[in-house]
Amino acid sequence: MPKSKRQKVVHLTAVKKKDKEAKEQLFSSVQDAADNFSRVFVFSVAHMRNTFLKDVRTQLSDSRIFFGKTKVMAKALGLTVEQEHAPGLAKLAKHIDGSVGLLFTDREAQDVIRFFEDYTELDFARAGVQATRDVIVPAGVVYSRVGEVPAEEDTPVPHSLEVTIRKWGMPTKLEKGRVLLDQEWQLCKEGETLNSHQTALLKLFGIAMVEFQIKIRAYWDKKDEDVTVVEDDEVMEEG
């Protein structure tokens, strides 16, 4: 018998229970990690990509990374001196806001800071991001890298894509199996906010415009029971 296509009823009480259990698990896991590692880092992420964060986890497999609900993570560390899980952690909790995560590790602080300074990955922009440069597609046959590489190293765009890229706003035409532009066309301007059609074209043409990057905001050292704030690659002690 074919499966019923009726919508299944999901009871809100079950959803709330699951959400509560997830928060409790995150809370206890953060506190367990604070007990078992020498240092806790708060890091911010630019242009979050799960694939790159997974790579960071792999490279730091001797450590633990949490990228969950910030309020729960902050509460687990302790929002006040009276509530802090270990001496000094309340100072670190105040740095947990926005797109941030926690790294628990026994690695030396400068090694961790240096690792993230050196770790960057280029990726394709998503809608809402500002273009980092002008992209102008030359007139004539449209190539797969639209002038980003020499023509002899490139290949023409397949004729089967012509309808798609025209739908995305590029004024192309199909002539004798070739995708053509009557005149050069500006895909985007530096500083403008990209829409979904522009980002789709940039990805199609292999043009990456964003950089996945992690920056350390501050870290706590169990030995000193104190927090160090990291700003502009300089380290200063927080009072």
Side-chain angles (χ1 to χ4, degrees):
M1 269 182 80
K3 292 183 179 179
S4 171
K5 294 185 179 180
R6 292 181 189 174
Q7 291 184 337
K8 292 184 178 179
V9 176
V10 178
H11 296 286
L12 291 178
T13 51
V15 175
K16 290 177 182 177
K17 183 179 179 182
K18 188 175 181 181
D19 186 52
K20 184 181 178 182
E21 289 174 351
K23 288 179 180 178
E24 289 174 348
Q25 179 63 45
L26 176 61
F27 185 92
S28 61
S29 295
V30 166
Q31 292 194 334
D32 287 345
D35 292 336
N36 294 319
F37 290 94
S38 303
R39 294 171 192 87
V40 187
F41 293 78
V42 176
F43 62 86
S44 60
V45 182
H47 304 294
M48 175 63 186
R49 300 291 189 272
N50 285 328
T51 51
F52 296 145
L53 186 62
K54 185 178 179 181
D55 179 55
V56 171
R57 290 183 191 275
T58 301
Q59 293 196 48
L60 299 177
S61 58
D62 58 348
S63 309
R64 287 206 68 182
I65 291 177
F66 295 92
F67 200 83
K69 293 183 180 292
T70 53
K71 289 183 179 180
V72 176
M73 293 192 297
K75 192 173 180 181
L77 296 184
L79 299 174
T80 65
V81 174
E82 294 75 24
Q83 297 171 340
E84 61 188 5
H85 183 66
L89 281 177
K91 290 181 181 179
L92 190 67
K94 72 180 186 179
H95 294 281
I96 303 176
D97 67 273
S99 183
V100 301
L102 293 177
L103 166 67
F104 294 82
T105 186
D106 288 326
R107 296 192 184 198
E108 293 298 324
Q110 290 305 317
D111 292 339
V112 173
I113 292 169
R114 199 174 302 115
F115 172 83
F116 286 121
E117 284 176 347
D118 295 338
Y119 190 95
T120 57
E121 293 285 352
L122 281 174
D123 198 14
F124 301 109
R126 293 174 178 173
V129 170
Q130 286 190 337
T132 56
R133 62 185 177 91
D134 293 350
V135 175
I136 298 175
V137 184
V141 176
V142 179
Y143 284 84
S144 297
R145 295 301 310 280
V146 291
E148 296 288 302
V149 298
E152 58 269 20
E153 298 176 16
D154 208 346
T155 55
V157 167
H159 66 87
S160 57
L161 287 177
E162 195 276 330
V163 174
T164 300
I165 61 178
R166 182 156 37 87
K167 184 180 69 176
W168 289 339
M170 195 169 171
T172 55
K173 64 180 181 181
L174 195 59
E175 190 174 291
K176 296 181 180 178
R178 299 183 302 171
V179 181
L180 303 175
L181 274 175
D182 287 334
Q183 56 188 14
E184 69 175 24
W185 179 71
Q186 187 151 30
L187 197 165
C188 63
K189 295 179 182 178
E190 181 180 357
E192 79 168 316
T193 301
L194 299 169
N195 61 40
S196 59
H197 287 172
Q198 289 171 305
T199 55
L201 287 168
L202 289 170
K203 185 174 183 179
L204 177 67
F205 298 137
I207 302 174
M209 279 199 178
V210 298
E211 213 173 57
F212 171 87
Q213 193 173 25
I214 290 178
K215 291 187 177 181
I216 299 297
R217 285 191 178 182
Y219 66 89
W220 171 83
D221 192 299
K222 182 178 290 185
K223 182 180 179 181
D224 300 333
E225 296 183 347
D226 204 3
V227 168
T228 301
V229 178
V230 181
E231 293 183 353
D232 299 327
D233 297 333
E234 294 179 3
V235 176
M236 63 180 185
E237 292 298 325
E238 176 172 317

